[in-house]
Amino acid sequence: MISQTSEYKDEKAMEAERNEPARVPWFGIRHVMTILLHTYLICNFLTRSTMSLAIVAMTDSNASSNPDIPTYTWNNTGVLLSAFYWSYVILQPFSGYIFIHIGFKWVVLGVMLMNIIPFMLIPAAVFRFGSTGLIVCRIVQGLFQGFCYPAIHHALGLWVPENERSLLCMIARAGNKVGYIIAMLSTGFISASWWGWPAVFYILGTISLIWCLFWAVLASDSPADHAIIKEVERDYIEKSLKTREKEDIRSVPFRAILTSLPFWAIAVANAGISWNSTLTENAIPTYLGSALGFDISSNGAVTASPSVVQLLINIPVALLGDYCVSRGHLSLWTWRRLAQAVGCYVPALLLIWLGFLSQEQRVLAVVLLNLNAIGAVEIFGSLVNHVDLSPRYAGVLLSIENTLAQVIAMFAPMLLDLATDLTDIVMWRWIFVSLSVIAVITGTFFILFGKAEIQWWNSKNTKDED
């Protein structure tokens, strides 16, 4: 009797083992792809943001310890810095179509190489053709970096399971801040060394080329195409995402979207954010060097420090916001408005204060620049509001408003060309005041006219009258 019972239990255990699903690896190919996307953003920002500080070294004969490093006298700094953005939006609207019909992996590799090559050619182009050579190289870079953020979102949509999306998306998107920090620190250090500013382009370009090798070996278009992914992980990802219906671009309600006030609240707010962030990213190194007298090495460290603060701020704020909304302490829309208000009003006051400092108050200026990083919480306001309005067409909303925002923002660095004397602290005061006014106006527009509820045109039954 005991033997029969034992045999029965063994059969039940074997049956349960056969029916138990295999355990998904805690670290798998989906995490490898997330790391590749994270480092992809790092490399893009190494080759994008470097110029804002490198141009200071390129125009300062005392920047390098090597007197043989060439320097130039340019009076069109704003044009040189904005040239990248002239072409940035040209291919961006078509990138998703290109990924689908040509192939995601090899397109990303190709556009990355087309970004790295002109970046590494900048020293030679400047030596041979002056500022015109620099402008051409930056235009080519901007053209192919337009694929960057669409590539990130395209890959996350294919690789990140629903229940891991917050963590993995945060890791992938953090590459822009990490890349900016590395770009500022390394550019300042290398430019001040015996190697001088030309080495910046060779060293950072080589690092990006090494990334291309890892991408070519480890990346793939989708989980189904990956050569070494385990079946259990592939099934886990595909089963998690298969409930998402494929969208037919012909059914997108463009007229409804473009006549939606909540959508334009996002567009206006994010245009203001893009303008201010683009101008700040390109102008702060010049402000620190010309107006406050920082040397090139310390300039890079000070410029990078606000990005470190932003990374430190966003993690606890994200956890706090999710906690308050999930527990019912705040509605989603209240949280969106609160994040937007803090992210635009507080930096606006700090920038006005910054504009009234003198060169003798350098330490306070650095403190204010780091406190200004509180503006990063806008990521929990208008920068993520697309999904609140329309989960189905969030990508479409992003592509439309981001293209508009970048078209406007590409003119921001040209504001520096209006200045007759970059060492004049009064001139910088007007720049900082203008940034504050734009932040308040665009942020308030979102707070007044935005929403955080699904719009009627999100329904799959909505027909596009266009």
Side-chain angles (χ1 to χ4, degrees):
M1 185 70 176
I2 295 177
S3 176
Q4 291 178 347
T5 303
S6 177
E7 183 178 348
Y8 174 74
K9 288 181 178 179
D10 289 343
E11 291 178 356
K12 294 289 288 182
M14 293 174 63
E15 181 68 21
E17 185 176 347
R18 285 194 297 267
N19 294 332
E20 182 182 356
R23 298 187 64 179
V24 178
W26 67 271
F27 184 88
I29 300 301
R30 64 194 187 280
H31 300 98
V32 173
M33 285 296 299
T34 301
I35 294 172
L36 285 173
L37 294 174
H38 175 83
T39 49
Y40 173 56
L41 263 182
I42 289 178
C43 292
N44 271 276
F45 272 76
L46 287 180
T47 54
R48 175 193 302 195
S49 304
T50 297
M51 184 53 61
S52 62
L53 185 55
I55 201 167
V56 177
M58 296 165 76
T59 55
D60 183 0
S61 58
N62 297 318
S64 174
S65 57
N66 184 351
D68 295 328
I69 296 298
T71 56
Y72 305 91
T73 302
W74 292 325
N75 57 4
N76 59 340
T77 301
V79 172
L80 298 178
L81 292 175
S82 66
F84 175 92
Y85 302 97
W86 297 352
S87 58
Y88 186 64
V89 298
I90 294 177
L91 295 179
Q92 190 170 145
F94 312 103
S95 56
Y97 180 89
I98 294 173
F99 291 147
I100 293 172
H101 292 276
I102 298 180
F104 171 69
K105 173 182 176 178
W106 300 113
V107 170
V108 168
L109 181 61
V111 297
M112 189 60 176
L113 288 172
M114 292 303 296
N115 164 53
I116 297 170
I117 292 172
F119 176 76
M120 298 183 72
L121 288 176
I122 284 177
V126 170
F127 180 77
R128 180 68 178 83
F129 302 104
S131 61
T132 302
L134 176 58
I135 290 174
V136 171
C137 289
R138 294 292 283 175
I139 289 175
V140 176
Q141 277 192 267
L143 182 68
F144 291 100
Q145 278 211 24
F147 286 81
C148 179
Y149 279 107
I152 296 292
H153 287 276
H154 179 88
L156 291 175
L158 293 173
W159 281 94
V160 178
E162 297 273 355
N163 61 340
E164 297 181 20
R165 185 162 296 160
S166 295
L167 176 62
L168 298 187
C169 287
M170 182 187 69
I171 293 173
R173 290 295 302 266
N176 58 356
K177 296 300 178 186
V178 176
Y180 183 74
I181 293 169
I182 296 174
M184 293 298 101
L185 293 177
S186 60
T187 301
F189 175 78
I190 298 171
S191 297
S193 70
W194 186 263
W195 295 337
W197 63 264
V200 171
F201 299 94
Y202 303 139
I203 294 173
L204 299 186
T206 301
I207 292 173
S208 300
L209 286 174
I210 294 173
W211 175 89
C212 291
L213 296 176
F214 281 95
W215 178 264
V217 173
L218 298 175
S220 72
D221 287 346
S222 68
D225 298 325
H226 204 282
I228 62 173
I229 190 172
K230 293 183 178 179
E231 183 179 356
V232 61
E233 183 182 10
R234 186 186 67 240
D235 292 343
Y236 165 62
I237 296 172
E238 292 179 345
K239 288 179 180 178
S240 173
L241 300 177
K242 73 176 184 179
T243 55
R244 298 174 60 192
E245 299 176 7
K246 294 183 178 179
E247 298 173 4
D248 184 352
I249 192 64
R250 292 171 299 181
S251 68
V252 176
F254 286 109
R255 179 176 297 177
I257 291 173
L258 295 176
T259 56
S260 170
L261 185 57
F263 165 72
W264 283 106
I266 295 176
V268 170
N270 291 351
I273 293 173
S274 295
W275 175 276
N276 282 6
S277 62
T278 301
L279 181 56
T280 301
E281 177 182 320
N282 289 282
I284 290 302
T286 303
Y287 166 71
L288 293 173
S290 300
L292 298 187
F294 280 89
D295 60 68
I296 190 66
S297 182
S298 57
N299 192 326
V302 173
T303 303
S305 58
S307 293
V308 177
V309 178
Q310 289 178 0
L311 288 174
L312 296 176
I313 288 175
N314 275 347
I315 295 174
V317 171
L319 296 174
L320 177 63
D322 286 344
Y323 174 83
C324 291
V325 173
S326 63
R327 295 300 180 91
H329 301 311
L330 293 174
S331 69
L332 181 59
W333 177 229
T334 300
W335 168 235
R336 294 281 183 257
R337 287 188 295 182
L338 179 61
Q340 195 75 18
V342 172
C344 67
Y345 297 151
V346 175
L349 294 174
L350 294 173
L351 285 171
I352 292 175
W353 188 0
L354 182 64
F356 285 86
L357 298 184
S358 64
Q359 189 173 21
E360 290 71 28
Q361 297 173 294
R362 295 168 61 186
V363 175
L364 180 56
V366 173
V367 171
L368 293 179
L369 284 172
N370 281 274
L371 291 177
N372 189 57
I374 190 68
V377 301
E378 284 179 313
I379 193 174
F380 308 111
S382 61
L383 293 175
V384 296
N385 190 228
H386 316 77
V387 179
D388 302 332
L389 299 185
S390 177
R392 175 180 295 274
Y393 301 117
V396 176
L397 303 187
L398 176 65
S399 65
I400 297 173
E401 65 87 2
N402 192 51
T403 299
L404 294 174
Q406 294 303 324
V407 168
I408 294 172
M410 71 181 182
F411 297 102
M414 293 184 183
L415 192 62
L416 296 178
D417 288 341
L418 300 179
T420 56
D421 184 5
L422 292 175
T423 64
D424 184 5
I425 201 72
V426 176
M427 184 278 299
W428 286 102
R429 179 179 304 163
W430 286 109
I431 290 179
F432 291 138
V433 169
S434 71
L435 289 172
S436 300
V437 171
I438 290 172
V440 170
I441 292 175
T442 56
T444 301
F445 191 88
F446 175 78
I447 293 171
L448 292 177
F449 301 110
K451 289 185 179 180
E453 57 190 36
I454 295 178
Q455 300 299 290
W456 64 269
W457 38 265
N458 178 72
S459 171
K460 65 181 293 185
N461 294 323
T462 300
K463 293 184 179 179
D464 183 12
E465 296 178 0
D466 293 337

